[in-house]
């Protein structure tokens, strides 16, 4: 504490530097407020006395000691178990609970009752911990393809990730999906081969699969000592030391020399590691080619450079369940994954026609933060923010760039699963949550000095719908409240109203996704809902060009209605980004230009429900070439109706077809059941596109219409004595066969006449 005499006033201020806060992590020191200032008016005079050189290393050190990582993988690879161990070793929790815990507690990160019952992760959960003086923000994500949006939004805001692979299952279908998402957001990653204690564990097979299936440029940085029941510890190929994990929870790490019997294997694997890294790192390549001895720190720096540049994926090993290999993985996160300053992030400047702006990622700039996840908490809406630049403080005014609203930050917290800790301020690179801020997922917040928006996430289209309604009429209010909340939280969950049957339709990514939401309505809002038969999101499209020429004329005393539209409709070529195009090709003013938007609106409305089965029409281009208007009787309504009737008139002539969602289905079944399962896929009008052998299992890849996949999980279990498993994700919409089209059209007509 230093005191300055300034006139008659005493000014006291505290200046805490990271050197003085060895017991507290630098980031925490920052959050606790590094300047406690009284009479801040005089501070600017003093600040100039403090040189910039003195201040910068402190701030830089705080950023360099920060890691934002996500843990993602296929279902049941051990993501949540791994996070649980990380929290235990970093002192965030004091006892370990299992995912399907018999003690009824469940893992810390699975805070929902449904997650604990089913033993799966449904929502990504954020937490933070410190390890060796570094602060690590972690997001644990779901592995099930139905909750893929949770992985998307986590990877959108993270600087690095751990891809968990099962040493028995290897690279599975969802591992490929998750890896694709990591590539999309350019996230550097480490791989962790888990479950080395299980029967049939083979990490080298998994490493080769990662190279072939995921096209990873990777090599092991560890070698296991023993496998399956004999798995004892690990050898670090960088430091050339053996690690054994003792104590009831593997908390005591014993360092020893490398056992003689595996010295040859270790030497071979270390050489392989150096060769693989030197292929993508010039500095190491020079030393390797000159046959110089490569020191531990040279190799470590080279691995870091290659990993941060996304040219190399270091592979770690262990068994989270048996508490082995987690601490070296944490060291690897600090050593090889980037800090927020090493990742380049872009924003779009709204004042300069969405020009790309590189963000500095420092606390010095203007505030730029992205709301990447919303949750309804006990105290209202909880908004998760990733801060890309600047500082946010409790009580500050921030601006939502997407809506233009100015909002005060009433409460700022850091999350630890479903618990929270109040903080006063947070800076660039951190993940925090704010209360009472009304916004949508994907909105950008600034301090008002800039108009930047962050690029949005990729949101997949929903593939399945259910009709849903509350059992009792009294619970309508709670029912709509639940649906509104879930829609805000989850961009892949959509709610609509069927105009014909007046039923509420919910759409999502699959059966499990919608089941979970129906169950959550029952538990969290105490509303029993009855669910109708799942409805597939068919689409309609046209296959040839058709002309239209329609005159809408109505005279009924007073002002009449008059509008004539001429032109043609035609299919958009496949692979086009747009689903609907409207071209105004009229030369001159036969139709006044103020009526053109009404005509476009009419065509759009008509395309919302095709005449075959009442589903939306896609891949459609409408060209307006001619028309006529009346000086008195023409109106926006008249032209809108003319467009609707013109579309219906020419639609049949354009040879419409029905499109159905086709799913990419990957099955893993014991080889003895391969014939039965393949026969069943053919029965479901599926096309088998791949068949691989993996030990005693067959992996069948096929494209199957979603309409034929209902209840498949039950059918697969009975065909394979419960040993088969499958995952499916949306691939594309394709035309249905002629007989199916006839069935669907007849069923639609029958339901219309029944009404």
């Amino acid at each position: 504490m230093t005191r300055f005499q300034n006139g008659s006033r005493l000014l006291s201020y505290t200046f805490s530097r990271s050197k003085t806060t060895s017991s507290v992590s630098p980031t925490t020191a920052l959050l606790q407020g590094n300047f406690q200032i009284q009479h801040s008016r005089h501070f600017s005079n003093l600040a100039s006395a403090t040189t910039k050189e003195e201040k910068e290393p402190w701030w830089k050190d705080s950023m360099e000691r920060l890691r934002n990582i996500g843990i993602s993988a296929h279902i049941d690879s051990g993501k949540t178990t791994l996070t649980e161990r990380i929290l235990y070793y970093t002192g965030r929790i004091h006892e370990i609970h299992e995912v399907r815990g018999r003690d009824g507690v469940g893992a810390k990160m699975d805070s929902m009752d449904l997650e604990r019952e089913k033993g799966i992760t449904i929502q990504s959960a954020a937490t933070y911990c410190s390890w060796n003086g570094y602060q690590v923000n972690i997001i644990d994500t779901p592995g099930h393809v139905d909750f893929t949006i949770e992985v998307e939004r986590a990877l959108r805001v993270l600087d690095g990730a751990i891809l968990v692979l099962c040493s028995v299952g290897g690279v599975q279908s969802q591992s490929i999906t998750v890896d694709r998402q990591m590539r999309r957001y350019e996230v550097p990653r480490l791989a962790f081969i888990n479950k080395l204690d299980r029967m049939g564990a083979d990490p080298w097979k998994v490493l080769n699969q990662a190279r072939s299936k995921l096209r990873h440029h990777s090599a092991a940085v560890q070698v296991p000592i023993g496998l399956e029941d004999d798995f004892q510890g690990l050898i670090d190929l960088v430091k050339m030391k053996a690690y054994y994990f003792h104590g009831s929870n593997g908390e005591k790490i014993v360092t020893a020399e490398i056992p003689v019997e595996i010295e040859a294997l270790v030497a071979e694997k270390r050489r392989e590691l150096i060769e693989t890294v030197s292929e993508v790192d010039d500095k190491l390549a020079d030393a390797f080619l000159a046959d110089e001895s490569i020191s531990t720190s040279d190799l470590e720096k080279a691995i870091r450079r290659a990993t941060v540049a996304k040219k190399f994926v270091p592979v770690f090993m262990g068994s989270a369940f048996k508490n082995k290999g987690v601490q070296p993985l944490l060291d690897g996160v600090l050593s090889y994954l980037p800090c927020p300053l090493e990742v380049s992030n872009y924003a779009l400047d709204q004042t300069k026609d969405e020009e790309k702006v590189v963000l500095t990622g420092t606390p010095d700039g203007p505030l730029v933060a992205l709301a990447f996840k919303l949750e309804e908490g006990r105290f209202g809406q909880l908004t998760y923010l990733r801060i890309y630049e600047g500082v946010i403080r409790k009580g500050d005014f921030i601006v939502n760039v997407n809506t233009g609203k100015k909002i005060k930050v009433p409460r700022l917290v850091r999350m630890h699963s479903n618990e929270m800790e109040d903080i006063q301020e947070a800076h660039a690179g951190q993940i925090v949550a704010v209360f009472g801020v009304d916004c949508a997922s994907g909105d950008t917040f600034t301090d008002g000095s800039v108009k930047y928006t962050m690029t949005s996430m990729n949101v997949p289209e929903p593939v399945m719908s259910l009709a849903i309604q509350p059992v009792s009429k009294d619970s309508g209010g709670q029912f709509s409240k639940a649906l509104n909340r879930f829609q805000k939280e989850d961009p892949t969950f959509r709610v609509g109203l069927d105009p014909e049957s007046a039923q509420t339709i919910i759409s999502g990514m699959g059966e499990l996704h919608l089941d979970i939401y129906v169950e959550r309505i029952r538990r969290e809002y105490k509303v029993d809902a009855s669910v109708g038969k799942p409805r597939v999101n068919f689409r309609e499209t046209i296959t040839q060009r058709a002309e239209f020429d329609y005159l809408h004329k109505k005279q009924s005393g007073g002002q009449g209605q008059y509008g004539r539209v001429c032109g043609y409709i035609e299919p958009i070529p496949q692979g086009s980004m747009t689903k609907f195009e409207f071209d105004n090709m009229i030369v001159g003013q036969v139709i006044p230009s103020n009526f053109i938007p009404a005509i476009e609106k009419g065509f759009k409305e008509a395309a919302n429900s095709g005449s075959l089965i009442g589903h939306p029409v896609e891949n459609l281009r409408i060209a307006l070439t001619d028309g006529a208007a009346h000086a008195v009787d023409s109106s926006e309504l008249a032209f809108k109706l003319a467009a609707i009737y013109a579309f219906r008139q020419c639609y049949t002539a354009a040879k419409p077809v029905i499109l159905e969602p086709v799913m990419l289905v990957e099955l893993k079944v014991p080889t003895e059941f391969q014939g039965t399962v393949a026969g069943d896929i053919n029965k479901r009008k599926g096309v088998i596109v791949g068949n691989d052998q993996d030990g005693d299992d067959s992996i069948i890849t096929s494209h199957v219409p979603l309409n034929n996949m209902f209840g498949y999980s039950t059918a697969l279990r009975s065909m394979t004595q419960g040993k088969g498993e499958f995952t499916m994700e949306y691939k594309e919409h394709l035309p249905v066969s002629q007989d199916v089209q006839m069935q669907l059209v007849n069923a639609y007509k029958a339901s219309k006449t029944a009404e």
Side-chain angles (χ1 to χ4, degrees):
M1 185 71 86
T2 319
R3 291 183 182 275
F4 293 80
Q5 191 74 35
N6 188 348
S8 59
R9 284 185 178 176
L10 250 185
L11 165 66
S12 84
Y13 83 103
T14 306
F15 186 44
S16 69
R17 292 273 312 278
S18 63
K19 284 175 188 167
T20 61
T21 52
S22 56
S23 59
V24 182
S25 80
T27 312
T28 316
L30 180 76
L31 288 167
Q32 287 165 347
N34 303 297
F35 304 155
Q36 293 160 341
I37 303 159
Q38 291 147 11
H39 307 301
S40 62
R41 215 173 304 152
H42 301 282
F43 179 64
S44 55
N45 307 333
L46 295 162
S48 55
T50 311
T51 60
K52 194 166 191 289
E53 284 73 32
E54 255 186 284
K55 247 180 9 183
E56 189 166 278
W58 168 85
W59 157 87
K60 208 161 178 257
D61 186 52
S62 143
M63 291 288 280
E64 281 169 0
R65 289 179 169 273
L66 184 60
R67 297 285 181 275
N68 292 316
I69 62 161
I71 297 178
S72 21
H74 186 83
I75 311 145
D76 274 353
S77 298
K79 299 175 293 298
T80 306
T81 307
L82 176 62
T83 315
E84 188 81 356
R85 301 306 187 268
I86 289 175
L87 294 179
Y88 177 76
Y89 296 132
T90 55
R92 292 291 288 136
I93 55 175
H94 301 297
E95 50 186 34
I96 292 174
H97 294 286
E98 298 315 328
V99 172
R100 289 192 172 90
R102 292 190 185 84
D103 54 6
V105 178
K108 175 75 198 168
M109 300 304 274
D110 285 348
S111 55
M112 280 168 62
D113 292 342
L114 264 170
E115 292 181 314
R116 290 179 175 172
E117 275 172 37
K118 292 183 182 280
I120 58 169
T121 304
I122 293 169
Q123 286 187 330
S124 52
T127 186
Y128 64 95
C129 54
S130 32
W131 181 251
N132 293 350
Y134 284 72
Q135 186 187 331
V136 185
N137 290 318
I138 301 171
I139 297 185
D140 172 31
T141 62
H144 207 287
V145 70
D146 285 22
F147 308 110
T148 191
I149 187 67
E150 292 287 339
V151 185
E152 286 275 349
R153 55 177 157 207
L155 291 175
R156 170 70 186 80
V157 298
L158 293 169
D159 305 326
I162 299 172
L163 175 67
V164 184
L165 299 169
C166 171
S167 65
V168 183
V171 173
Q172 291 156 290
S173 56
Q174 189 63 8
S175 322
I176 298 170
T177 307
V178 168
D179 188 71
R180 195 184 308 132
Q181 290 168 322
M182 289 178 185
R183 276 180 212 274
R184 183 182 298 138
Y185 296 113
E186 297 185 345
V187 179
R189 53 203 172 279
L190 312 176
F192 178 66
I193 299 177
N194 194 14
K195 305 191 178 185
L196 290 186
D197 57 305
R198 276 185 52 190
M199 285 288 289
D202 184 352
W204 308 114
K205 177 195 80 174
V206 180
L207 178 57
N208 288 330
Q209 280 184 357
R211 286 171 179 162
S212 60
K213 287 189 179 181
L214 302 176
R215 298 194 304 284
H216 278 184
H217 188 77
S218 59
V221 290
Q222 293 173 336
V223 170
I225 304 169
L227 283 172
E228 299 178 1
D229 289 346
D230 194 30
F231 177 49
Q232 296 159 19
L234 295 162
I235 288 157
D236 186 326
L237 294 177
V238 179
K239 297 190 171 112
M240 292 303 276
K241 285 270 183 275
Y243 296 127
Y244 296 93
F245 305 89
H246 295 305
S248 56
N249 290 320
E251 65 277 7
K252 293 193 188 88
I253 302 176
V254 176
T255 311
E257 291 306 311
I258 296 166
V260 181
E261 64 272 18
I262 54 171
E263 270 180 351
L265 174 71
V266 170
E268 179 204 326
K269 293 293 175 190
R270 181 179 163 97
R271 187 175 173 80
E272 187 185 305
L273 170 66
I274 294 169
E275 272 180 28
T276 313
V277 178
S278 58
E279 281 173 31
V280 290
D281 186 82
D282 297 343
K283 262 191 188 173
L284 191 71
D286 294 344
F288 177 63
L289 293 170
D291 228 9
E292 294 170 16
S293 69
I294 290 164
S295 70
T296 300
S297 79
D298 287 347
L299 182 53
E300 199 167 292
K301 282 174 187 164
I303 295 174
R304 180 179 178 83
R305 283 194 299 272
T307 308
V308 171
K310 300 178 286 291
K311 291 177 180 170
F312 177 70
V313 179
V315 178
F316 289 77
M317 300 184 185
S319 163
F321 186 64
K322 289 283 163 65
N323 311 311
K324 287 178 182 161
V326 179
Q327 298 97 319
L329 175 67
L330 270 170
D331 293 336
V333 166
L334 307 187
S335 305
Y336 305 135
L337 287 182
C339 73
L341 292 173
E342 292 170 292
V343 179
S344 52
N345 287 300
Y346 300 96
L348 305 175
D349 192 340
Q350 296 302 314
T351 56
K352 293 184 183 167
D353 199 22
E354 300 213 337
E355 188 183 298
K356 264 192 175 183
V357 184
V358 180
L359 297 176
T360 59
T362 64
D364 286 346
L367 172 71
V368 179
L370 175 73
F372 68 95
K373 179 175 158 67
L374 309 180
E375 228 173 67
E376 194 70 27
R378 294 189 298 272
F379 311 104
Q381 183 176 301
L382 183 65
T383 307
Y384 285 78
L385 291 179
R386 159 73 202 254
I387 307 165
Y388 285 99
E389 201 171 328
V391 177
I392 188 169
R393 293 180 187 82
K394 184 179 168 181
D396 272 3
F397 280 97
I398 55 173
V399 175
N400 182 336
V401 181
N402 301 59
T403 62
K405 281 184 186 163
K406 197 172 184 184
I407 306 154
K408 189 175 182 182
V409 180
R411 190 176 170 200
L412 195 62
V413 294
R414 278 198 302 180
M415 298 304 296
H416 176 40
S417 183
N418 60 340
E419 294 168 18
M420 52 198 73
E421 175 191 321
D422 278 284
I423 53 175
Q424 292 306 306
E425 64 174 48
H427 66 76
Q430 292 195 306
I431 292 172
V432 292
V434 291
F435 270 110
V437 171
D438 187 38
C439 67
S441 190
D443 283 359
T444 308
F445 290 96
T446 67
D447 54 9
S449 62
V450 288
K451 266 193 104 169
Y452 290 169
T453 55
M454 300 303 293
T455 49
S456 59
M457 294 173 302
N458 174 58
V459 177
E461 283 295 308
V463 294
M464 186 181 285
S465 304
L466 289 176
I468 184 171
Q469 60 188 60
V471 174
S472 80
K473 291 277 181 281
D474 310 337
S475 47
Q478 284 293 85
F479 178 68
S480 53
K481 200 170 157 188
L483 293 182
N484 284 339
R485 173 194 152 187
F486 295 148
Q487 239 182 315
K488 251 188 163 178
E489 281 182 15
D490 182 350
T492 56
F493 178 73
R494 314 269 172 90
V495 179
L497 196 69
D498 189 333
E500 290 148 19
S501 62
Q503 283 179 311
T504 304
I505 305 289
I506 55 172
S507 310
M509 300 305 296
E511 274 179 285
L512 179 68
H513 189 209
L514 295 176
D515 281 353
I516 294 286
Y517 277 117
V518 173
E519 185 66 12
R520 283 183 67 189
I521 291 172
R522 195 170 68 73
R523 289 183 183 212
E524 294 171 32
Y525 288 89
K526 308 286 183 281
V527 174
D528 265 336
S530 64
V531 175
K533 180 186 177 297
R535 210 182 73 142
V536 174
N537 290 344
F538 289 107
R539 294 281 179 267
E540 296 183 25
T541 192
I542 55 171
T543 54
Q544 65 181 42
R545 177 173 156 156
E547 312 279 335
F548 61 81
D549 180 351
Y550 189 83
L551 170 63
H552 175 66
K553 196 166 146 189
K554 199 172 177 189
Q555 203 65 46
S556 54
Q559 188 185 347
Q561 291 179 5
Y562 185 95
R564 181 176 173 217
V565 289
C566 308
Y568 58 88
I569 62 173
E570 63 179 7
I572 295 177
Q574 267 193 339
S576 167
M577 295 301 287
T578 52
K579 303 274 173 83
F580 178 90
E581 281 178 21
F582 177 77
D583 248 349
N584 177 16
M585 295 165 72
I586 292 179
V587 181
Q589 285 283 317
V590 285
I591 298 177
S593 52
N594 56 320
F595 292 136
I596 302 295
I599 296 173
E600 183 176 356
K601 198 176 173 189
F603 277 118
K604 262 194 182 145
E605 208 169 285
N608 267 342
S609 97
S611 57
L612 289 178
I613 53 168
H615 279 256
V617 184
E618 276 188 357
N619 300 342
L620 174 73
R621 180 172 173 268
I622 292 168
L624 186 64
T625 55
D626 199 2
H630 188 279
V632 179
D633 289 352
S634 284
S635 65
E636 287 192 355
L637 176 66
F639 274 109
K640 185 181 162 187
L641 291 170
I644 291 173
Y645 293 129
F647 181 80
R648 288 182 189 163
Q649 177 198 45
C650 69
Y651 187 61
T652 325
K655 295 258 174 80
V657 291
I658 298 170
L659 302 173
E660 63 181 343
V662 173
M663 310 301 281
L664 173 67
V665 180
E666 186 170 293
L667 298 125
K668 189 174 184 183
V669 295
T671 307
E672 62 202 88
F673 304 113
Q674 184 185 343
T676 323
V677 172
D680 183 69
I681 293 248
N682 290 332
K683 231 190 281 177
R684 291 172 189 269
K685 296 199 168 72
V687 178
I688 293 173
V689 291
N691 196 339
D692 286 331
Q693 207 61 27
D694 178 17
D696 296 335
D697 290 332
S698 282
I699 293 168
I700 302 170
T701 316
S702 58
H703 299 158
V704 192
L706 175 65
N707 203 26
N708 305 337
M709 286 298 286
F710 290 125
Y712 188 64
S713 45
T714 320
L716 183 67
R717 276 192 206 117
S718 58
M719 277 187 290
T720 59
Q721 297 169 8
K723 293 173 189 163
E725 56 178 61
F726 81 103
T727 54
M728 69 175 181
E729 59 180 290
Y730 169 71
K731 188 174 182 292
E732 60 191 336
H733 269 80
L734 288 176
V736 300
S737 58
Q738 202 55 45
D739 58 324
V740 174
Q741 179 148 327
M742 286 301 294
Q743 278 172 16
L744 290 167
V745 171
N746 292 338
Y748 177 67
K749 282 179 182 162
S751 69
K752 293 285 279 182
T753 49
E755 283 166 24

